[in-house]
Amino acid sequence: MSERPDTAVEPEVESEFAELEEGAPRVGIVMGSKSDMPAMEAAAEELKKQGIHHEVRVMSAHRDPDVVAEYARNAKMRGLRVIIAGAGLSAALPGVVAAHTPLPVIGVPLTSSRSVAGGLDALLSIAQMPPGVPVACVGVDSARNAAVLAARILSS
Ligand code: RP5
């Protein structure tokens, strides 16, 4: 058993965690397909401009359901504070992420070559969540606004 009192160890451990956390992403940007990247890049650019650490991942709620669930379940523990999720068509990704995390989720409805009514399909899929599982929904293809909102959430 160590003779060293706990108080001598704790500050060192805490400062190590503080260092680790400094560069860790605070916002996760996820999207349903690589084809969403051009639209979603605006979110990453805005966060970069504001000096907010973030990460960008492609994962589909329909094609990679287990990946999405695992990402969302681990997000808070990994230090993320907000998740921005963009998807087009039957845009399930933001809602599925919200189902697996207590973090605020901002959905970005996206247009794609097969969109119906200019992205109304994705807009309704994201906004019309059931009671108790909210997703904040920005305008169609408004990834930059999602980043601005994420920044406001982080600073509140
Ligand atoms: C959605 O289907 C994606 O978010 C994307 O907007 C749309 C089309 O996906 P791809 O067929 O281009 O992969 O799930």
Side-chain angles (χ1 to χ4, degrees):
M1 200 166 130
S2 169
E3 296 280 315
R4 222 170 151 194
D6 282 346
T7 47
V9 177
E10 274 173 11
E12 192 184 322
V13 173
E14 272 174 22
S15 78
E16 271 177 36
F17 275 120
E19 266 174 42
L20 273 179
E21 287 204 342
E22 213 161 286
R26 291 298 182 205
V27 179
I29 300 174
V30 297
M31 64 203 81
S33 168
K34 274 185 189 166
S35 65
D36 297 327
M37 194 66 85
M40 292 304 290
E41 268 170 1
E45 280 163 21
E46 178 64 30
L47 292 176
K48 191 175 170 194
K49 206 169 81 184
Q50 296 204 29
I52 296 170
H53 294 289
H54 58 278
E55 63 184 16
V56 179
R57 303 275 166 86
V58 175
M59 57 184 77
S60 164
H62 298 113
R63 294 163 176 158
D64 324 297
D66 293 341
V67 173
V68 173
E70 195 184 341
Y71 179 85
R73 284 187 191 131
N74 293 332
K76 187 174 179 187
M77 187 189 68
R78 292 181 49 240
L80 295 178
R81 290 292 168 260
V82 184
I83 297 178
I84 295 172
L89 305 178
S90 174
L93 183 61
V96 171
V97 170
H100 289 290
T101 180
L103 296 176
V105 176
I106 305 170
V108 186
L110 298 173
T111 50
S112 82
S113 56
R114 279 165 289 132
S115 289
V116 171
L120 184 62
D121 45 6
L123 178 67
L124 294 178
S125 298
I126 292 173
Q128 290 290 80
M129 287 294 291
V133 191
V135 169
C137 183
V138 294
V140 174
D141 290 332
S142 298
R144 184 181 166 217
N145 257 5
V148 173
L149 181 55
R152 289 184 182 188
I153 291 170
L154 286 173
S155 68
S156 64

